[in-house]
C-alpha cells in the first residue's frame, strides 16, 4: 500500500506533458467553447470539466491530443455529417495551434507578455439591486443580486453608468508564472454620488513542479459543468484570495485504483475578507474528479467555512476532523459550516453529441436528516448541452434547470452565508428559488459569435422553521408563513467580432421583466 501511495504521488507530480509553468485561462475565454466542440467530435477523451479554469499548458495538451486523433482519422467516417464535423474540427485545431504555439512547442524559456490584452467597457444599467431576504427562520445570509450583471466575477456596476478599464499581463518560466489583471472602475449611479475604484480582478503566482501546481493569490475557482460552473462554485462573486494545490493535467492512479480513470484533485484555503461576517473567516475545501469512462465524469466537492473574528478557536486537528465529518463532541461548539456536493457529466454521442450534467449540493449532513436533505435542503442544477447542435459546429444549445432551497447557503453563526463581498458564491439565484435557462449560440464562418439567452426565475420570501435532529442539525423544514414571491423573465443578446488584427468589439443588450420586484406587489 505504501508503494501504491508513492507511485500515486509520483504520477501526480510528473504526469504533465507540458511541464513548464503557465497561467490559467479565464473561464469566459472562447477557448472553452472550442474545446467543447472538439470533445463532442470525439477528439479529446480526458477533459475534466468539473474543475476549471484550465492552464494554458493543459489546453495545449488537449489541442495536441485532438491533432493526433484527427490525423489518425479516429472516429471520423466519410458520411456527410461527419465530414462537416471534421472540417469544423480541423478549423478549430488550426486556430488553437496558432494561439498556443509556444505551449505546444514545449517552450520553457522565460516569456513576458507585458500587455496581453487591454479592455475598455462602458455600461448603462437601469436595474436597482435588491437584497436576498436576510433571515427566513432557517439562518441568515447577507447578499444583494442584480441578474442583468450576474456571473461577472464580482465586477461592480452602478444602477446608472459604469466605465471600466482592464489590462492583462503575465510571465512564465520553467517553474514559475505570474498573472495580473487590474481593473479601474468609474461608477456613476442614477442616485447618489459617483466614485471610482482600482482593484485586482486577478492577481496570482504559480509554482509548478512537473504536474503539481501551487498557486497563491486571487483567482477563480469553478466547480461543475455548467456554463458558469455550478450551484457550489461559479464565476458570480469576486475571485478568491487563496492558496491552491492541484494537479494541472489528469493522471492515472496505480494498482486497482486505475479504474477511476484520468483524475484531478484541487485543495485550497481562502480568506473571505473583512466584509464577511465573521470578519476574515476562511474557507477550505477539496474537489476530486474522475473519468472512469471517456463519456463519463464524476466529481466530489467539499467546502468548510471556519474562523473569523468572534468564531470559536480551532486547531489543526479540529480542521482535519471537520473536513472528514468527525466531531467527537457532536453536541458541543458550532465549529464550522459545511457543504458537500457531487457532480456528474455524461456524453451521449447518439443524441446530437449531447452532454447531460447535474450537480447536487447538500448542507450539513446527518444520518437523521439524510432524506430531508434530498427533498428540502439540496441545491441542484441539471443541464442538457448540445455543443454540436449542427454538424458544422456553428450552433450550440444549452438548457438548464436549477433549484435552490430555502435553507441553502444560510447559517446561524457565519451570517454572511454563502457569499463574498455580499455577492452570492455559486448560484446567483439565491435561496428559495428556481430557474430555467436556455442559451443558443451561433458561430459565423468569420469567427463572429452571436449569443442569445432566455431565463425565467422565481424566488420566494416565505418564513420557515426546522425541527432539529438529535445531533442539533436541521431535520424537517416546515413553512410557517407564505409570503410574496418575485418572478423574473429575462432576455439577453450579445455579439462579438474581431474588426482587424486583435481588436474585438462586444455589444450586449439585456431586458428583464419583473413581477413583484423585491417582493413588493
Amino acid at each position: 500500500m505504501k508503494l501504491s501511495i508513492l507511485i500515486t504521488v509520483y504520477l501526480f507530480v510528473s504526469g504533465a506533458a507540458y511541464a513548464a509553468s503557465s497561467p490559467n485561462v479565464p473561464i469566459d475565454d472562447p477557448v472553452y467553447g472550442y474545446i467543447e466542440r472538439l470533445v463532442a467530435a470525439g477528439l479529446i477523451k480526458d477533459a475534466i470539466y468539473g474543475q476549471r479554469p484550465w492552464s494554458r499548458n493543459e489546453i495545449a495538451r488537449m489541442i495536441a491530443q485532438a491533432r493526433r486523433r484527427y490525423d489518425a482519422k479516429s472516429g471520423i467516417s466519410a458520411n456527410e455529417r461527419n465530414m462537416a464535423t471534421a472540417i469544423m474540427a480541423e478549423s478549430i485545431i488550426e486556430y488553437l495551434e496558432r494561439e498556443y504555439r509556444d505551449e505546444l512547442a514545449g517552450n520553457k524559456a522565460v516569456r513576458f507578455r507585458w500587455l496581453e490584452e487591454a479592455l475598455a467597457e462602458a455600461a448603462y444599467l437601469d436595474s436597482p439591486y435588491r437584497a436576498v431576504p436576510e433571515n427566513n427562520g432557517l439562518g441568515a445570509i447577507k447578499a444583494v443580486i442584480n441578474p442583468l450583471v450576474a456571473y461577472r466575477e464580482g465586477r461592480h456596476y452602478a444602477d446608472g453608468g459604469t466605465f471600466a478599464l482592464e489590462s492583462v499581463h503575465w510571465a512564465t518560466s520553467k517553474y514559475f508564472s505570474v498573472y495580473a489583471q487590474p481593473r479601474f472602475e468609474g461608477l456613476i449611479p442614477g442616485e447618489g454620488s459617483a466614485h471610482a475604484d482600482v482593484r485586482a480582478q486577478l492577481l496570482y503566482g504559480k509554482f509548478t513542479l512537473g504536474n503539481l501546481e501551487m498557486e497563491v493569490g486571487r483567482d477563480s475557482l469553478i466547480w461543475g459543468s455548467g456554463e458558469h460552473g455550478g450551484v457550489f462554485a461559479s464565476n458570480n462573486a469576486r475571485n478568491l484570495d487563496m492558496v491552491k494545490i492541484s494537479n494541472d493535467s489528469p493522471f492515472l492512479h496505480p494498482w486497482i485504483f486505475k479504474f477511476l480513470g484520468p483524475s484531478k484533485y484541487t485543495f485550497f484555503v481562502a480568506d473571505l475578507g473583512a466584509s464577511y461576517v465573521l470578519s476574515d473567516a476562511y474557507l477550505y475545501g477539496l474537489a476530486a474528479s474522475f473519468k472512469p469512462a471517456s463519456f463519463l465524469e464524476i466529481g466530489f466537492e467539499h467546502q468548510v467555512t471556519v474562523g473569523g473574528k468572534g468564531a470559536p478557536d480551532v486547531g489543526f486537528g479540529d480542521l482535519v476532523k471537520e473536513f472528514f465529518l468527525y466531531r467527537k463532541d457532536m453536541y458541543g461548539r458550532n465549529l464550522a459550516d459545511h457543504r458537500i456536493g457531487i457532480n456528474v457529466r455524461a456524453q451521449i454521442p447518439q443524441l446530437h453529441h449531447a452532454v447531460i450534467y447535474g450537480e447536487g449540493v447538500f448542507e450539513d449532513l446527518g444520518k437523521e436528516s439524510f432524506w430531508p436533505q434530498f427533498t428540502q435542503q439540496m441545491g441542484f442544477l441539471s443541464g442538457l448541452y448540445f455543443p454540436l447542435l449542427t454538424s458544422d459546429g456553428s450552433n450550440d444549445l444549452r438548457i438548464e434547470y436549477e433549484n435552490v432551497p430555502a435553507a441553502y447557503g444560510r447559517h446561524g453563526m457565519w451570517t454572511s452565508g454563502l457569499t463574498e463581498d455580499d455577492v452570492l458564491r455559486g448560484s446567483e439565484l439565491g435561496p428559495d428559488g428556481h430557474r430555467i435557462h436556455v442559451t443558443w449560440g451561433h458561430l459565423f464562418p468569420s469567427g463572429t459569435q452571436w449569443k442569445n439567452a432566455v431565463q425565467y426565475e422565481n424566488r420566494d420570501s416565505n418564513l420557515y422553521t426546522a425541527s432539529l435532529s438529535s445531533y442539533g442539525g436541521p431535520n424537517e423544514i416546515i413553512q410557517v408563513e407564505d409570503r410574496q414571491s418575485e418572478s423574473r423573465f429575462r432576455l439577453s443578446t450579445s455579439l462579438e467580432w474581431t474588426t482587424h488584427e486583435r481588436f474585438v468589439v462586444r455589444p450586449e443588450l439585456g431586458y428583464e421583466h419583473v413581477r413583484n420586484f423585491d417582493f413588493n406587489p
Side-chain angles (χ1 to χ4, degrees):
M1 181 58 72
K2 291 182 179 179
L3 179 61
S4 297
I5 293 173
L6 289 173
I7 294 173
T8 298
V9 171
Y10 172 77
L11 291 171
F12 188 97
V13 171
S14 63
Y18 302 89
S21 187
S22 69
N24 295 331
V25 178
I27 190 68
D28 58 355
D29 192 283
V31 70
Y32 290 92
Y34 292 136
I35 294 294
E36 285 266 21
R37 288 171 169 84
L38 296 179
V39 170
L43 299 177
I44 300 173
K45 296 294 186 181
D46 56 359
I48 298 289
Y49 280 90
Q51 298 182 51
R52 290 169 287 168
W54 296 328
S55 73
R56 290 184 64 88
N57 278 344
E58 170 61 1
I59 290 172
R61 185 193 67 81
M62 290 189 281
I63 296 168
Q65 181 184 148
R67 168 57 73 187
R68 290 193 302 271
R69 295 182 65 85
Y70 179 84
D71 289 345
K73 305 297 183 183
S74 177
I76 299 178
S77 63
N79 68 64
E80 184 177 345
R81 176 179 176 81
N82 282 340
M83 284 300 294
T85 302
I87 293 170
M88 172 275 302
E90 171 69 8
S91 175
I92 288 176
I93 292 171
E94 288 180 352
Y95 167 75
L96 294 179
E97 285 175 335
R98 293 192 299 271
E99 293 294 309
Y100 291 83
R101 56 184 176 274
D102 286 329
E103 289 77 15
L104 287 164
N107 188 351
K108 299 179 184 179
V110 176
R111 289 185 289 142
F112 291 94
R113 296 292 180 91
W114 297 110
L115 182 61
E116 174 71 4
E117 293 181 21
L119 305 94
E121 179 183 24
Y124 174 74
L125 182 69
D126 179 16
S127 177
Y129 287 79
R130 58 269 205 193
V132 174
E134 190 163 342
N135 198 320
N136 64 354
L138 300 173
I141 191 168
K142 187 171 178 285
V144 294
I145 66 170
N146 199 324
L148 283 172
V149 287
Y151 298 108
R152 296 170 190 260
E153 297 181 310
R155 290 175 171 88
H156 298 146
Y157 293 88
D159 180 24
T162 300
F163 177 76
L165 296 171
E166 291 186 28
S167 57
V168 175
H169 321 266
W170 55 265
T172 68
S173 66
K174 182 175 180 180
Y175 296 110
F176 297 96
S177 59
V178 293
Y179 188 99
Q181 186 172 341
R183 176 178 172 88
F184 168 81
E185 297 175 337
L187 307 178
I188 310 171
E191 297 181 4
S193 59
H195 64 280
D197 186 27
V198 178
R199 58 182 293 179
Q201 192 63 36
L202 291 164
L203 180 62
Y204 61 84
K206 273 188 184 182
F207 169 70
T208 304
L209 182 61
N211 196 27
L212 179 67
E213 292 187 331
M214 184 175 76
E215 181 180 338
V216 180
R218 178 173 295 182
D219 196 10
S220 55
L221 187 75
I222 311 296
W223 292 353
S225 294
E227 180 181 7
H228 303 287
V231 180
F232 210 173
S234 74
N235 63 339
N236 189 47
R238 173 176 64 80
N239 297 314
L240 290 170
D241 297 329
M242 62 182 170
V243 177
K244 184 178 76 170
I245 299 173
S246 62
N247 56 301
D248 188 23
S249 298
F251 71 98
L252 290 173
H253 294 83
W255 200 38
I256 61 173
F257 301 107
K258 64 183 179 182
F259 77 89
L260 293 171
S263 304
K264 182 176 175 67
Y265 297 88
T266 295
F267 175 77
F268 77 97
V269 180
D271 185 347
L272 292 176
S275 67
Y276 194 85
V277 180
L278 309 164
S279 173
D280 290 315
Y282 58 96
L283 182 73
Y284 68 102
L286 174 73
S289 301
F290 311 101
K291 293 202 75 170
S294 61
F295 63 87
L296 178 65
E297 178 184 331
I298 302 173
F300 301 93
E301 314 153 339
H302 187 189
Q303 290 187 9
V304 187
T305 304
V306 293
K309 188 176 180 179
D313 293 329
V314 293
F316 180 75
D318 294 318
L319 298 177
V320 174
K321 291 176 183 178
E322 286 291 331
F323 185 79
F324 289 102
L325 305 178
Y326 172 75
R327 186 184 298 170
K328 187 175 181 180
D329 182 13
M330 295 192 68
Y331 304 97
R333 299 176 300 162
N334 188 355
L335 296 179
D337 181 18
H338 291 261
R339 286 173 189 89
I340 296 174
I342 180 171
N343 63 77
V344 179
R345 173 189 172 96
Q347 290 179 261
I348 311 173
Q350 299 82 359
L351 184 62
H352 266 293
H353 301 282
V355 175
I356 186 169
Y357 56 90
E359 179 188 34
V361 181
F362 303 89
E363 295 282 342
D364 298 276
L365 286 170
K367 62 181 181 180
E368 297 171 52
S369 63
F370 184 75
W371 180 246
Q373 281 283 344
F374 284 95
T375 58
Q376 298 177 317
Q377 296 166 251
M378 180 184 75
F380 70 86
L381 169 71
S382 58
L384 180 63
Y385 180 49
F386 299 91
L388 296 179
L389 185 65
T390 51
S391 57
D392 61 359
S394 62
N395 293 277
D396 69 319
L397 177 69
R398 187 185 299 269
I399 304 169
E400 289 185 345
Y401 176 75
E402 184 175 11
N403 181 76
V404 180
Y408 184 78
R410 299 178 176 273
H411 201 266
M413 178 174 289
W414 288 274
T415 52
S416 284
L418 191 66
T419 67
E420 189 178 17
D421 295 348
D422 297 341
V423 178
L424 291 159
R425 299 197 326 267
S427 173
E428 185 272 343
L429 180 62
D432 213 0
H434 60 268
R435 74 173 178 114
I436 185 166
H437 172 81
V438 179
T439 304
W440 167 69
H442 181 75
L443 180 64
F444 292 93
S446 62
T448 298
Q449 299 187 62
W450 184 27
K451 185 176 180 180
N452 303 276
V454 179
Q455 298 190 61
Y456 172 79
E457 301 171 346
N458 187 87
R459 63 188 184 119
D460 288 309
S461 59
N462 300 330
L463 290 181
Y464 301 86
T465 188
S467 62
L468 299 180
S469 63
S470 61
Y471 73 95
N475 193 357
E476 184 181 5
I477 292 177
I478 304 164
Q479 181 177 315
V480 296
E481 186 175 340
D482 185 13
R483 291 187 170 183
Q484 196 63 252
S485 63
E486 176 190 87
S487 62
R488 313 187 289 244
F489 177 75
R490 187 161 61 257
L491 297 169
S492 64
T493 184
S494 66
L495 197 65
E496 181 176 305
W497 74 91
T498 302
T499 58
H500 64 281
E501 294 296 327
R502 309 281 294 183
F503 190 77
V504 179
V505 179
R506 186 176 186 272
E508 181 177 2
L509 297 171
Y511 169 80
E512 182 179 56
H513 175 78
V514 187
R515 180 176 175 270
N516 301 332
F517 183 91
D518 203 20
F519 306 110
N520 292 312

